[in-house]
Amino acid sequence: MMRIYRLIPCTAIACLFSASTLFGQAKPKPAATEAAPPAAEAPASQPAAEIPMNKSLAEDVQNFWHYGKIAQYQLAAAYGNKILSRSEPPLEILQAFDKAANELRTPSEAQVGGLDDWMLRWRGLPDPEMRDVANKIQAVLDKGRYEQRNDPKIIIENIEALSLNNRAYSRHIVMLRNTGELAVPLMIDYLRNPSKSQYHESIRDALYDMNLKALNPLLAATEMDDNSTVLTVISILTRIGQRDAIPYIARIAQDKNRPAETRQAAASALQRFGFSGNVPVSDLFFRLAVQYYYDQADVRPDLKAPASYIWTWSKEKQGLDYKSVPPVVFCDLMAMRECRHAMELGTAQGDALSLYLSANTRLEVDMPGGATITVFEANRPSSDYFNASAGPQYLNAVLTRNLADHNAPVSLKVIKSLAQIVGPSSQGAGATIDPLVQAMSYPDRLVRFEAAFALATGLPTKSFAGHEQVAQLLVEAVSQTGSTNVLVIAPAEELSRLSTQLKPLNVVGGATAQKALAEAAALPGVDVIIAMDKAGEAEIDQLYKISGENIRLQRAAKVIVTATRASTWYQKASADPLSVATTDSDAANLQKSIAEARQKAGGLAMDEKAAGDYSLRAATLLQRIAEGRVQAYDLTALQPQLLSELNDARPEIVKLISDTVAYVDGPSVQSSLAVRALDEKTPDDLKVACFKGLAKNAKLYGNRLGQQVTDLQKAVESAQNLEVRTAAAEAHGALNLSSDQIKTLIIKESKP
């Protein structure tokens, strides 16, 4: 139907804007060099506004409106504050404002100068009090509109008014657009009711005019059994023309339970979409799921709205039903829904299952704190339940996707699920092991650590590609403190400045890439590299070369500081997904650039408590690997780092490391354990642990203690704590020392 309201002559619009003023009474035209004031200016100073307090809501709103329009902003703001303090609900306040705006509209305001126009003007005033009150009132009006769009009575009034005439249609279709998706269930109910046939044509036009606002519930309505109405829905979806409808229409076309007429209508609609029909319907739903997952579908959430809606066709209610959800998780839930359709229909089940698991896991990550998803039953299991049940094959696909997406939080959760089910029987095969090995090179250290933990927990019986990274990452995890570790390549004076200004970050570096790399050994890991072109662009070139070959550096985010944007390295860094380029080297900017680089690389924050937890888990796994003699994770090459951890300030770490190195074959192990055990400052419980580690190492590899034997003898003879003396004696005996020393000890201890 061609509606006259769509063909308003341009001359009419021009007339609206040719008046000397759009609001209020006409004023003399200002000089060409002056800007016309938005409203009459208030006097320079006014006494404090006093207003009566016993007026009705309608009177308060009318007074606010009147004084606002004549620019008496103190009085208007006073009435505005009174309105804000009233107890009436937002919808009632909105209705009062709508009434005041209509009743107090002057003839010169024509079709402009309504509620929204005046509120917009007052919200932009230089007067701070009036501007603040207007913004607060607007927030109340927005809440009222949200309540209004849920009111079935108002929706029905708008639906029935569509068919009155063209002018009514033009007014009420705007209201239905504002209501959006929530109007569609009632519109569908009208279409299904033969006694409401006088409204059907205007409703069909309105659903088309609502376009994307109606699309999501219309797709759910394709599942109804009422084939007559389904034909109407197919027609509307075809007119709207959004390709999200293709899987739903294709499902109807292939549904043998539908009448031939309905299936033929669906097939014809697909042809108008330009769809050949050769792709299985399950694949179509999977493709739509992928689009939702990456927020590329036609239906998208309004992240500023209080809620989004997941629609279903209820057979019990014989109508559309919805669940409101936080907009931030809408795409996750829609991707899961389309994946379920794909799995129900067949051929894309494997891919659909993996994407479902990914969306389900991301849902928990995206969910606002404390919120619950009403789409699911109250006792629905966590994503970990579904992940662990699916097995490594599907979880590996989930992990691969999220590593590629640089989604560290989801990757972290998936790796933890994998850790529960990966073992020797599933390690060694490329399809099973590769994603976890890949994760060990991920820019975020938490992801790297969890991947190493998952592989270490499996205790494999043979080596596999990337196995050498596991123990190295475990040792790196032991030394974590929770601070961000930064490696700087810059001239000495710049390095000194940054070391001071970037505290509390751990900052080390050098004037060249090689010197900086040598200093990096002092860090428990490298999170970010800062390279300044003041050190020479050749050094930046060397940095990228070295970081690509060095396991500790290749996953670090990079901040490249250049003098100008024209720098070659500025351009290269801007194009690198793990790099951030900047021309500003002051500390505040570098802090922002570091945070940006870590975010680009998918970095997650680690506080001191989390660092302690990772250290303890890593030390425990290292002890298990050492005790189990796991050949795939050789600790021999990591002796220097392990022995340095004997000086850790955390007692539980020292105890675990002392038992770990007890199984390591190396010339410095026994002497390092002895030094820590014999140190007067070492607490007694740690002395016992180190002496026992020394004894164990001696039993395995013989006496390698050297000159510290004498000090050990003294500890055996004179340590005040009996438990320490006993542990020292155990080490003494395991070293298989000469009998003269033990005879002296026995004679001394045997004296009455």
Side-chain angles (χ1 to χ4, degrees), residues 282-334:
S282 59
D283 287 0
L284 293 174
F285 275 110
F286 173 69
R287 292 177 185 179
L288 181 56
V290 173
Q291 289 179 309
Y292 272 117
Y293 188 82
Y294 291 107
D295 193 16
Q296 296 172 348
D298 296 325
V299 178
R300 297 186 180 184
D302 179 1
L303 297 180
K304 295 181 181 179
S308 292
Y309 305 102
I310 304 295
W311 292 93
T312 56
W313 181 262
S314 172
K315 292 185 178 180
E316 293 77 14
K317 298 178 181 179
Q318 278 299 297
L320 283 168
D321 197 9
Y322 72 88
K323 298 289 186 181
S324 59
V325 300
V328 72
V329 300
F330 173 80
C331 287
D332 298 325
L333 288 164
M334 290 299 290

Short mmCIF file of all heavy atoms in Angstrom, two decimals, residues 282-334:
data_model
loop_
_atom_site.label_atom_id
_atom_site.label_comp_id
_atom_site.label_asym_id
_atom_site.label_seq_id
_atom_site.Cartn_x
_atom_site.Cartn_y
_atom_site.Cartn_z
N SER A 282 21.43 -27.27 8.23
CA SER A 282 22.26 -27.24 9.45
C SER A 282 23.49 -26.36 9.25
O SER A 282 23.90 -25.64 10.17
CB SER A 282 22.69 -28.66 9.83
OG SER A 282 23.43 -29.26 8.77
N ASP A 283 24.07 -26.40 8.04
CA ASP A 283 25.22 -25.54 7.76
C ASP A 283 24.83 -24.06 7.76
O ASP A 283 25.59 -23.20 8.18
CB ASP A 283 25.84 -25.90 6.41
CG ASP A 283 26.60 -27.22 6.45
OD1 ASP A 283 26.64 -27.84 7.54
OD2 ASP A 283 27.13 -27.64 5.41
N LEU A 284 23.62 -23.79 7.27
CA LEU A 284 23.14 -22.40 7.26
C LEU A 284 23.00 -21.87 8.69
O LEU A 284 23.37 -20.73 8.98
CB LEU A 284 21.80 -22.31 6.54
CG LEU A 284 21.81 -22.61 5.03
CD1 LEU A 284 20.38 -22.61 4.50
CD2 LEU A 284 22.65 -21.59 4.29
N PHE A 285 22.45 -22.71 9.58
CA PHE A 285 22.33 -22.28 10.97
C PHE A 285 23.71 -22.12 11.62
O PHE A 285 23.91 -21.20 12.42
CB PHE A 285 21.48 -23.28 11.77
CG PHE A 285 20.01 -23.03 11.66
CD1 PHE A 285 19.19 -23.90 10.97
CD2 PHE A 285 19.44 -21.91 12.25
CE1 PHE A 285 17.83 -23.67 10.87
CE2 PHE A 285 18.08 -21.67 12.16
CZ PHE A 285 17.26 -22.56 11.46
N PHE A 286 24.64 -23.00 11.26
CA PHE A 286 25.99 -22.86 11.81
C PHE A 286 26.63 -21.55 11.35
O PHE A 286 27.27 -20.85 12.14
CB PHE A 286 26.86 -24.05 11.40
CG PHE A 286 28.31 -23.89 11.80
CD1 PHE A 286 28.68 -23.93 13.14
CD2 PHE A 286 29.29 -23.65 10.85
CE1 PHE A 286 30.01 -23.76 13.51
CE2 PHE A 286 30.61 -23.49 11.20
CZ PHE A 286 30.97 -23.54 12.55
N ARG A 287 26.46 -21.22 10.07
CA ARG A 287 27.03 -19.97 9.57
C ARG A 287 26.42 -18.76 10.29
O ARG A 287 27.12 -17.80 10.62
CB ARG A 287 26.77 -19.85 8.06
CG ARG A 287 27.53 -20.85 7.22
CD ARG A 287 27.15 -20.69 5.75
NE ARG A 287 27.78 -21.71 4.91
CZ ARG A 287 27.59 -21.82 3.60
NH1 ARG A 287 26.80 -20.95 2.98
NH2 ARG A 287 28.19 -22.77 2.91
N LEU A 288 25.12 -18.84 10.54
CA LEU A 288 24.48 -17.74 11.28
C LEU A 288 25.01 -17.69 12.71
O LEU A 288 25.19 -16.59 13.27
CB LEU A 288 22.96 -17.94 11.27
CG LEU A 288 22.13 -16.86 11.98
CD1 LEU A 288 22.43 -15.48 11.40
CD2 LEU A 288 20.64 -17.18 11.88
N ALA A 289 25.27 -18.85 13.30
CA ALA A 289 25.83 -18.88 14.65
C ALA A 289 27.19 -18.19 14.68
O ALA A 289 27.49 -17.43 15.62
CB ALA A 289 25.96 -20.32 15.13
N VAL A 290 28.01 -18.43 13.67
CA VAL A 290 29.32 -17.78 13.60
C VAL A 290 29.14 -16.27 13.50
O VAL A 290 29.87 -15.48 14.14
CB VAL A 290 30.13 -18.31 12.40
CG1 VAL A 290 31.41 -17.50 12.22
CG2 VAL A 290 30.46 -19.79 12.60
N GLN A 291 28.15 -15.83 12.70
CA GLN A 291 27.91 -14.39 12.56
C GLN A 291 27.49 -13.78 13.89
O GLN A 291 27.94 -12.69 14.27
CB GLN A 291 26.84 -14.14 11.50
CG GLN A 291 27.31 -14.42 10.08
CD GLN A 291 26.21 -14.19 9.06
OE1 GLN A 291 25.10 -14.70 9.20
NE2 GLN A 291 26.51 -13.41 8.05
N TYR A 292 26.63 -14.48 14.61
CA TYR A 292 26.25 -13.97 15.93
C TYR A 292 27.46 -13.95 16.87
O TYR A 292 27.64 -13.00 17.64
CB TYR A 292 25.14 -14.84 16.54
CG TYR A 292 23.75 -14.40 16.16
CD1 TYR A 292 22.91 -15.22 15.42
CD2 TYR A 292 23.27 -13.14 16.55
CE1 TYR A 292 21.63 -14.82 15.07
CE2 TYR A 292 22.00 -12.73 16.20
CZ TYR A 292 21.19 -13.57 15.47
OH TYR A 292 19.93 -13.15 15.12
N TYR A 293 28.26 -15.00 16.81
CA TYR A 293 29.40 -15.10 17.73
C TYR A 293 30.33 -13.90 17.56
O TYR A 293 30.88 -13.39 18.54
CB TYR A 293 30.16 -16.41 17.47
CG TYR A 293 31.24 -16.69 18.48
CD1 TYR A 293 30.93 -17.28 19.70
CD2 TYR A 293 32.57 -16.38 18.22
CE1 TYR A 293 31.92 -17.54 20.64
CE2 TYR A 293 33.56 -16.65 19.15
CZ TYR A 293 33.22 -17.23 20.36
OH TYR A 293 34.21 -17.48 21.29
N TYR A 294 30.49 -13.44 16.33
CA TYR A 294 31.38 -12.31 16.07
C TYR A 294 30.60 -11.00 15.89
O TYR A 294 31.15 -10.03 15.37
CB TYR A 294 32.25 -12.60 14.85
CG TYR A 294 33.27 -13.69 15.12
CD1 TYR A 294 33.11 -14.96 14.58
CD2 TYR A 294 34.36 -13.45 15.94
CE1 TYR A 294 34.03 -15.97 14.85
CE2 TYR A 294 35.27 -14.45 16.22
CZ TYR A 294 35.11 -15.70 15.68
OH TYR A 294 36.03 -16.69 15.95
N ASP A 295 29.34 -10.98 16.35
CA ASP A 295 28.50 -9.77 16.32
C ASP A 295 28.43 -9.20 14.90
O ASP A 295 28.57 -8.00 14.70
CB ASP A 295 29.04 -8.71 17.30
CG ASP A 295 28.04 -7.59 17.54
OD1 ASP A 295 26.85 -7.78 17.20
OD2 ASP A 295 28.44 -6.52 18.04
N GLN A 296 28.22 -10.07 13.93
CA GLN A 296 28.11 -9.65 12.54
C GLN A 296 26.75 -10.01 11.93
O GLN A 296 26.55 -9.84 10.73
CB GLN A 296 29.23 -10.30 11.71
CG GLN A 296 30.62 -9.84 12.11
CD GLN A 296 31.72 -10.63 11.41
OE1 GLN A 296 31.46 -11.66 10.78
NE2 GLN A 296 32.95 -10.15 11.53
N ALA A 297 25.83 -10.49 12.74
CA ALA A 297 24.49 -10.83 12.25
C ALA A 297 23.69 -9.55 12.04
O ALA A 297 24.09 -8.46 12.47
CB ALA A 297 23.79 -11.76 13.23
N ASP A 298 22.56 -9.68 11.36
CA ASP A 298 21.71 -8.51 11.13
C ASP A 298 21.13 -7.99 12.44
O ASP A 298 21.00 -6.78 12.64
CB ASP A 298 20.57 -8.87 10.17
CG ASP A 298 21.08 -9.24 8.79
OD1 ASP A 298 22.08 -8.65 8.35
OD2 ASP A 298 20.49 -10.13 8.15
N VAL A 299 20.76 -8.90 13.33
CA VAL A 299 20.21 -8.50 14.63
C VAL A 299 21.37 -8.32 15.60
O VAL A 299 22.13 -9.26 15.87
CB VAL A 299 19.24 -9.57 15.17
CG1 VAL A 299 18.71 -9.17 16.54
CG2 VAL A 299 18.09 -9.79 14.19
N ARG A 300 21.48 -7.12 16.14
CA ARG A 300 22.57 -6.82 17.07
C ARG A 300 22.02 -6.18 18.34
O ARG A 300 21.00 -5.48 18.29
CB ARG A 300 23.60 -5.89 16.42
CG ARG A 300 24.27 -6.51 15.21
CD ARG A 300 25.39 -5.64 14.68
NE ARG A 300 26.02 -6.23 13.51
CZ ARG A 300 27.07 -5.72 12.90
NH1 ARG A 300 27.60 -4.59 13.34
NH2 ARG A 300 27.59 -6.32 11.85
N PRO A 301 22.69 -6.39 19.45
CA PRO A 301 22.18 -5.82 20.70
C PRO A 301 22.51 -4.33 20.80
O PRO A 301 23.51 -3.86 20.28
CB PRO A 301 22.94 -6.62 21.76
CG PRO A 301 24.25 -6.96 21.11
CD PRO A 301 23.91 -7.19 19.66
N ASP A 302 21.64 -3.62 21.48
CA ASP A 302 21.92 -2.23 21.83
C ASP A 302 22.56 -2.26 23.21
O ASP A 302 21.89 -2.48 24.23
CB ASP A 302 20.61 -1.42 21.85
CG ASP A 302 20.85 0.04 22.24
OD1 ASP A 302 22.02 0.41 22.48
OD2 ASP A 302 19.87 0.79 22.31
N LEU A 303 23.87 -2.06 23.26
CA LEU A 303 24.59 -2.20 24.52
C LEU A 303 24.21 -1.12 25.54
O LEU A 303 24.53 -1.25 26.72
CB LEU A 303 26.10 -2.16 24.25
CG LEU A 303 26.65 -3.30 23.39
CD1 LEU A 303 28.15 -3.16 23.19
CD2 LEU A 303 26.32 -4.65 24.02
N LYS A 304 23.53 -0.05 25.08
CA LYS A 304 23.09 1.00 26.00
C LYS A 304 21.72 0.70 26.59
O LYS A 304 21.29 1.36 27.53
CB LYS A 304 23.07 2.34 25.28
CG LYS A 304 24.45 2.83 24.83
CD LYS A 304 24.36 4.17 24.13
CE LYS A 304 25.73 4.64 23.67
NZ LYS A 304 25.65 5.96 22.96
N ALA A 305 21.02 -0.27 26.01
CA ALA A 305 19.68 -0.60 26.49
C ALA A 305 19.77 -1.40 27.78
O ALA A 305 20.78 -2.08 28.04
CB ALA A 305 18.93 -1.41 25.43
N PRO A 306 18.73 -1.36 28.61
CA PRO A 306 18.78 -2.12 29.86
C PRO A 306 18.70 -3.63 29.66
O PRO A 306 19.10 -4.39 30.53
CB PRO A 306 17.56 -1.60 30.64
CG PRO A 306 16.65 -1.04 29.61
CD PRO A 306 17.52 -0.52 28.52
N ALA A 307 18.16 -4.06 28.51
CA ALA A 307 18.02 -5.50 28.28
C ALA A 307 17.91 -5.79 26.79
O ALA A 307 17.53 -4.93 25.99
CB ALA A 307 16.79 -6.05 29.00
N SER A 308 18.27 -7.02 26.42
CA SER A 308 17.99 -7.57 25.09
C SER A 308 17.09 -8.78 25.29
O SER A 308 16.89 -9.25 26.41
CB SER A 308 19.29 -7.97 24.39
OG SER A 308 20.07 -6.84 24.07
N TYR A 309 16.55 -9.31 24.18
CA TYR A 309 15.53 -10.35 24.30
C TYR A 309 15.88 -11.58 23.45
O TYR A 309 16.27 -11.46 22.30
CB TYR A 309 14.16 -9.80 23.87
CG TYR A 309 13.79 -8.56 24.63
CD1 TYR A 309 13.92 -7.30 24.05
CD2 TYR A 309 13.35 -8.63 25.96
CE1 TYR A 309 13.61 -6.15 24.75
CE2 TYR A 309 13.04 -7.50 26.67
CZ TYR A 309 13.17 -6.24 26.07
OH TYR A 309 12.87 -5.12 26.77
N ILE A 310 15.72 -12.72 24.08
CA ILE A 310 15.85 -14.01 23.40
C ILE A 310 14.44 -14.55 23.20
O ILE A 310 13.72 -14.82 24.16
CB ILE A 310 16.70 -15.00 24.22
CG1 ILE A 310 18.07 -14.41 24.54
CG2 ILE A 310 16.83 -16.32 23.47
CD1 ILE A 310 18.94 -14.15 23.33
N TRP A 311 14.06 -14.72 21.91
CA TRP A 311 12.68 -15.08 21.58
C TRP A 311 12.53 -16.57 21.28
O TRP A 311 13.42 -17.18 20.68
CB TRP A 311 12.20 -14.27 20.38
CG TRP A 311 12.06 -12.82 20.67
CD1 TRP A 311 12.99 -11.84 20.50
CD2 TRP A 311 10.91 -12.18 21.23
NE1 TRP A 311 12.50 -10.63 20.91
CE2 TRP A 311 11.21 -10.81 21.36
CE3 TRP A 311 9.64 -12.64 21.63
CZ2 TRP A 311 10.30 -9.90 21.88
CZ3 TRP A 311 8.74 -11.72 22.15
CH2 TRP A 311 9.07 -10.37 22.27
N THR A 312 11.40 -17.12 21.68
CA THR A 312 11.05 -18.51 21.35
C THR A 312 9.56 -18.56 21.03
O THR A 312 8.79 -17.68 21.43
CB THR A 312 11.34 -19.47 22.51
OG1 THR A 312 10.64 -19.03 23.69
CG2 THR A 312 12.83 -19.55 22.80
N TRP A 313 9.19 -19.61 20.28
CA TRP A 313 7.76 -19.85 20.05
C TRP A 313 7.30 -20.87 21.07
O TRP A 313 7.80 -21.99 21.12
CB TRP A 313 7.49 -20.35 18.65
CG TRP A 313 6.02 -20.57 18.42
CD1 TRP A 313 5.34 -21.75 18.51
CD2 TRP A 313 5.06 -19.55 18.15
NE1 TRP A 313 4.01 -21.53 18.29
CE2 TRP A 313 3.80 -20.19 18.07
CE3 TRP A 313 5.13 -18.18 17.97
CZ2 TRP A 313 2.63 -19.50 17.81
CZ3 TRP A 313 3.96 -17.47 17.70
CH2 TRP A 313 2.73 -18.13 17.62
N SER A 314 6.38 -20.47 21.93
CA SER A 314 5.89 -21.34 23.00
C SER A 314 4.68 -22.13 22.52
O SER A 314 3.64 -21.55 22.20
CB SER A 314 5.52 -20.51 24.23
OG SER A 314 4.88 -21.31 25.20
N LYS A 315 4.84 -23.44 22.47
CA LYS A 315 3.70 -24.29 22.07
C LYS A 315 2.64 -24.30 23.16
O LYS A 315 1.44 -24.42 22.88
CB LYS A 315 4.19 -25.71 21.79
CG LYS A 315 5.05 -25.81 20.54
CD LYS A 315 5.41 -27.24 20.22
CE LYS A 315 6.23 -27.32 18.94
NZ LYS A 315 6.59 -28.72 18.60
N GLU A 316 3.08 -24.17 24.43
CA GLU A 316 2.12 -24.16 25.53
C GLU A 316 1.25 -22.90 25.47
O GLU A 316 0.03 -22.95 25.59
CB GLU A 316 2.84 -24.23 26.88
CG GLU A 316 3.56 -25.55 27.14
CD GLU A 316 4.88 -25.66 26.38
OE1 GLU A 316 5.36 -24.62 25.86
OE2 GLU A 316 5.41 -26.78 26.29
N LYS A 317 1.89 -21.75 25.27
CA LYS A 317 1.16 -20.48 25.22
C LYS A 317 0.60 -20.19 23.84
O LYS A 317 -0.21 -19.28 23.68
CB LYS A 317 2.08 -19.34 25.64
CG LYS A 317 2.61 -19.44 27.06
CD LYS A 317 3.55 -18.28 27.37
CE LYS A 317 4.11 -18.37 28.78
NZ LYS A 317 5.04 -17.25 29.08
N GLN A 318 1.09 -20.95 22.84
CA GLN A 318 0.71 -20.69 21.45
C GLN A 318 0.94 -19.23 21.08
O GLN A 318 0.07 -18.52 20.59
CB GLN A 318 -0.74 -21.09 21.19
CG GLN A 318 -0.92 -22.58 20.93
CD GLN A 318 -0.14 -23.05 19.69
OE1 GLN A 318 -0.41 -22.62 18.58
NE2 GLN A 318 0.84 -23.93 19.91
N GLY A 319 2.15 -18.81 21.37
CA GLY A 319 2.52 -17.44 21.06
C GLY A 319 3.99 -17.22 21.29
O GLY A 319 4.72 -18.11 21.78
N LEU A 320 4.46 -16.04 20.96
CA LEU A 320 5.86 -15.69 21.17
C LEU A 320 6.12 -15.45 22.64
O LEU A 320 5.32 -14.83 23.34
CB LEU A 320 6.22 -14.44 20.36
CG LEU A 320 6.44 -14.64 18.86
CD1 LEU A 320 6.49 -13.29 18.15
CD2 LEU A 320 7.72 -15.44 18.60
N ASP A 321 7.27 -15.91 23.08
CA ASP A 321 7.69 -15.70 24.47
C ASP A 321 9.14 -15.21 24.44
O ASP A 321 9.88 -15.48 23.49
CB ASP A 321 7.58 -17.01 25.25
CG ASP A 321 7.61 -16.77 26.76
OD1 ASP A 321 7.55 -15.61 27.18
OD2 ASP A 321 7.71 -17.77 27.50
N TYR A 322 9.55 -14.48 25.47
CA TYR A 322 10.92 -13.97 25.48
C TYR A 322 11.50 -14.03 26.89
O TYR A 322 10.78 -14.10 27.88
CB TYR A 322 10.98 -12.53 24.96
CG TYR A 322 10.40 -11.49 25.91
CD1 TYR A 322 11.20 -10.89 26.89
CD2 TYR A 322 9.07 -11.11 25.83
CE1 TYR A 322 10.67 -9.95 27.76
CE2 TYR A 322 8.54 -10.17 26.69
CZ TYR A 322 9.34 -9.58 27.66
OH TYR A 322 8.82 -8.65 28.52
N LYS A 323 12.81 -13.99 26.92
CA LYS A 323 13.56 -13.83 28.17
C LYS A 323 14.46 -12.61 27.99
O LYS A 323 15.13 -12.47 26.97
CB LYS A 323 14.42 -15.05 28.46
CG LYS A 323 13.64 -16.35 28.67
CD LYS A 323 12.88 -16.34 29.98
CE LYS A 323 12.24 -17.71 30.24
NZ LYS A 323 11.47 -17.72 31.50
N SER A 324 14.45 -11.73 28.97
CA SER A 324 15.33 -10.56 28.90
C SER A 324 16.70 -10.94 29.44
O SER A 324 16.81 -11.65 30.45
CB SER A 324 14.75 -9.40 29.70
OG SER A 324 14.57 -9.75 31.05
N VAL A 325 17.74 -10.48 28.76
CA VAL A 325 19.12 -10.81 29.13
C VAL A 325 19.97 -9.54 29.03
O VAL A 325 19.62 -8.59 28.32
CB VAL A 325 19.70 -11.90 28.20
CG1 VAL A 325 18.89 -13.17 28.28
CG2 VAL A 325 19.80 -11.40 26.76
N PRO A 326 21.09 -9.49 29.73
CA PRO A 326 22.00 -8.36 29.57
C PRO A 326 22.48 -8.27 28.12
O PRO A 326 22.85 -9.29 27.52
CB PRO A 326 23.16 -8.69 30.51
CG PRO A 326 22.58 -9.63 31.52
CD PRO A 326 21.55 -10.43 30.78
N PRO A 327 22.46 -7.09 27.52
CA PRO A 327 22.86 -6.98 26.10
C PRO A 327 24.25 -7.53 25.81
O PRO A 327 24.49 -8.03 24.70
CB PRO A 327 22.80 -5.46 25.85
CG PRO A 327 21.80 -4.96 26.82
CD PRO A 327 21.97 -5.80 28.05
N VAL A 328 25.15 -7.49 26.79
CA VAL A 328 26.53 -7.90 26.54
C VAL A 328 26.63 -9.40 26.26
O VAL A 328 27.61 -9.86 25.66
CB VAL A 328 27.42 -7.50 27.74
CG1 VAL A 328 27.13 -8.36 28.96
CG2 VAL A 328 28.89 -7.58 27.38
N VAL A 329 25.63 -10.19 26.66
CA VAL A 329 25.68 -11.64 26.42
C VAL A 329 24.70 -12.07 25.34
O VAL A 329 24.55 -13.27 25.09
CB VAL A 329 25.44 -12.44 27.71
CG1 VAL A 329 26.48 -12.11 28.77
CG2 VAL A 329 24.03 -12.20 28.26
N PHE A 330 24.02 -11.12 24.71
CA PHE A 330 23.02 -11.46 23.69
C PHE A 330 23.63 -12.30 22.57
O PHE A 330 23.08 -13.33 22.17
CB PHE A 330 22.40 -10.18 23.13
CG PHE A 330 21.48 -10.41 21.96
CD1 PHE A 330 20.18 -10.83 22.16
CD2 PHE A 330 21.91 -10.19 20.65
CE1 PHE A 330 19.32 -11.05 21.08
CE2 PHE A 330 21.07 -10.40 19.58
CZ PHE A 330 19.77 -10.83 19.80
N CYS A 331 24.77 -11.87 22.03
CA CYS A 331 25.39 -12.59 20.90
C CYS A 331 25.83 -13.99 21.31
O CYS A 331 25.75 -14.93 20.51
CB CYS A 331 26.56 -11.78 20.35
SG CYS A 331 26.06 -10.33 19.41
N ASP A 332 26.31 -14.15 22.54
CA ASP A 332 26.68 -15.48 23.01
C ASP A 332 25.47 -16.40 23.01
O ASP A 332 25.52 -17.54 22.51
CB ASP A 332 27.25 -15.40 24.44
CG ASP A 332 28.52 -14.57 24.52
OD1 ASP A 332 29.31 -14.60 23.56
OD2 ASP A 332 28.71 -13.89 25.54
N LEU A 333 24.37 -15.92 23.56
CA LEU A 333 23.17 -16.74 23.66
C LEU A 333 22.57 -17.04 22.28
O LEU A 333 22.10 -18.16 22.03
CB LEU A 333 22.14 -16.04 24.54
CG LEU A 333 22.49 -16.02 26.03
CD1 LEU A 333 21.64 -15.00 26.77
CD2 LEU A 333 22.32 -17.40 26.64
N MET A 334 22.59 -16.06 21.38
CA MET A 334 22.06 -16.30 20.04
C MET A 334 22.94 -17.29 19.27
O MET A 334 22.42 -18.15 18.54
CB MET A 334 21.94 -14.98 19.29
CG MET A 334 20.85 -14.07 19.82
SD MET A 334 19.19 -14.78 19.70
CE MET A 334 18.94 -14.75 17.93
#
